[in-house]
Amino acid sequence: MGDGSHQSLPDLTGKVAIVTGGHTGLGFGTSIELAKHGARVYIASRSAAKFKDAEREVALECPEADVRFLELNLADLNSVMCLPYEETVEGFEMQIGVNYIGHFLFSRLLLPMLQITAEKAVKGSVRVVNVSSDEHTKLAPKEGIISSDMNMKNDFSVWARYGHSKIANVLHLKELAKIYSNILALSLHPGTVKTNLSAGPISSTPLYRLIKPIVELGAPGPRKGAANILFAAVSPNLKLESDNGAYLLPIGKVSAPSKAGSDAKMAEDLWEWTVKALMSRGYE
Ligand SMILES: NC(=O)c1ccc[n+]([C@@H]2O[C@H](COP(=O)([O-])OP(=O)(O)OC[C@H]3O[C@@H](n4cnc5c(N)ncnc54)[C@H](OP(=O)(O)O)[C@@H]3O)[C@@H](O)[C@H]2O)c1
């Protein structure tokens, strides 16, 4: 697993995985390896056509793979990440809405099932993994989560909003690990990986096109680049007792997130804020 070739992934027969954005980029790199190693993989995507393409690609490498479509639109809009200011249908700024709040609600709805499964499954095998970014240490506001202005509409760049959503990914699972101690919750930085992610920065900051080759110099593609996500999802080296709520740098290195990303009180407050924000919009 550590070399990115994914040869040493364990047999995943009988396991079920849900991968958001699993038809493309890092999500696809994750879906295909999990499926090739025997897991049933639900590719959660807003596009049935894109799922079909992904399904075909998986079948070419592994005809017996079990991949299924789960329709999921985290924002009801068309884009994500480092975009000019937009809002989701529920009035959240797009990046915090899709990267964090959509995923918070999705995992919250799955928690009852995850808990029942955790009671019967091998300890530490039921997991929630958030793909954060090391950019949370550099781009987010220094004070961390700005709960008084979660949309950060004025006075902040798209980059700051991205970093903010990525700190939220870290704090989300820190708190989930505390509340649901039988579910192994992990956030991570995947490394710099060549994916469609750069479409966002290019549309919001056209000059990014110029520095993109430098940023991506030597970066792997999404198949190899999924190694840290796969490690977090299935490595038996990660333990419920010692690693719950951890943040991983590639590959599989338990590391400290930013100061704000390590703040237990901030994690608790963010959880509370999110539950209230969702309840006020009719989501329990
Ligand atoms: N690539 C890197 O270097 C890097 C570094 C650090 C962190 N990350 C993180 O890795 C994660 C995956 O990114 P990626 O690099 O694989 O980028 P990507 O290729 O652009 O993939 C993004 C995925 O998110 C899906 N998505 C966007 N909006 C959605 C919505 N409203 N509802 C449901 N799905 C939606 C996209 O689906 P559509 O095809 O329908 O748009 C796509 O599958 C992100 O959280 C990113 O922040 C990436």
Side-chain angles (χ1 to χ4, degrees):
M1 203 171 335
D3 64 357
S5 66
H6 316 311
Q7 292 302 322
S8 57
L9 284 181
D11 177 21
L12 300 173
T13 306
K15 305 281 186 197
V16 177
I18 303 178
V19 185
T20 59
H23 62 270
T24 192
L26 284 163
F28 181 73
T30 305
S31 301
I32 189 168
E33 292 306 327
L34 295 176
K36 279 172 69 178
H37 287 81
R40 173 186 298 169
V41 178
Y42 288 90
I43 290 185
S45 165
R46 55 187 164 172
S47 161
K50 287 182 184 177
F51 164 75
K52 279 279 163 211
D53 291 344
E55 187 185 36
R56 264 191 295 275
E57 213 173 319
V58 173
L60 282 176
E61 275 187 38
C62 186
E64 67 279 12
D66 183 357
V67 290
R68 304 180 183 200
F69 180 53
L70 186 63
E71 188 170 358
L72 176 73
N73 186 343
L74 292 158
D76 210 12
L77 288 173
N78 294 318
S79 312
V80 65
M81 290 170 250
C82 281
L83 292 166
Y85 190 90
E86 287 180 79
E87 290 182 3
T88 65
V89 169
E90 293 82 11
F92 297 113
E93 183 275 326
M94 184 61 71
Q95 298 189 84
I96 197 80
V98 170
N99 295 356
Y100 167 61
I101 296 170
H103 283 95
F104 180 99
L105 178 61
F106 187 52
S107 58
R108 187 169 169 85
L109 295 171
L110 291 170
L111 278 168
M113 176 62 72
L114 294 178
Q115 279 190 289
I116 291 169
T117 311
E119 280 166 22
K120 299 174 195 152
V122 174
K123 206 172 177 186
S125 64
V126 175
R127 301 184 183 188
V128 179
V129 176
N130 271 356
V131 181
S132 177
S133 167
D134 70 346
E135 298 298 345
H136 85 271
T137 63
K138 303 168 208 153
L139 299 177
K142 277 205 179 50
E143 60 269 48
I145 296 297
I146 308 185
S147 52
S148 58
D149 181 17
M150 284 295 263
N151 278 3
M152 296 166 66
K153 183 170 183 179
N154 303 310
D155 309 323
F156 294 98
S157 68
V158 290
W159 300 90
R161 290 185 204 116
Y162 178 69
H164 191 239
S165 74
K166 293 288 145 182
I167 283 206
N169 287 151
V170 175
L171 293 171
H172 170 207
L173 292 199
K174 199 175 167 59
E175 187 65 9
L176 194 143
K178 196 177 93 192
I179 303 174
Y180 299 90
S181 56
N182 60 347
I183 296 170
L184 184 50
L186 302 156
S187 60
L188 61 88
H189 170 56
T192 299
V193 182
K194 282 181 195 156
T195 65
N196 294 333
L197 189 73
S198 54
I202 286 171
S203 74
S204 65
T205 316
L207 276 178
Y208 183 81
R209 197 184 294 277
L210 297 177
I211 59 159
K212 178 175 168 325
I214 301 166
V215 174
E216 292 185 345
L217 191 70
R223 294 292 297 275
K224 195 172 177 191
N228 202 28
I229 304 176
L230 289 163
F231 187 97
V234 301
S235 172
N237 297 342
L238 293 165
K239 306 284 182 211
L240 197 58
E241 298 80 0
S242 50
D243 300 315
N244 210 2
Y247 171 71
L248 305 180
L249 290 175
I251 297 171
K253 293 180 193 135
V254 173
S255 309
S258 67
K259 188 163 174 255
S262 311
D263 186 327
K265 176 73 169 67
M266 199 175 287
E268 196 180 313
D269 291 348
L270 176 63
W271 186 284
E272 245 174 62
W273 180 93
T274 313
V275 170
K276 276 192 198 144
L278 287 170
M279 279 177 81
S280 71
R281 289 161 174 85
Y283 298 98
E284 292 292 317

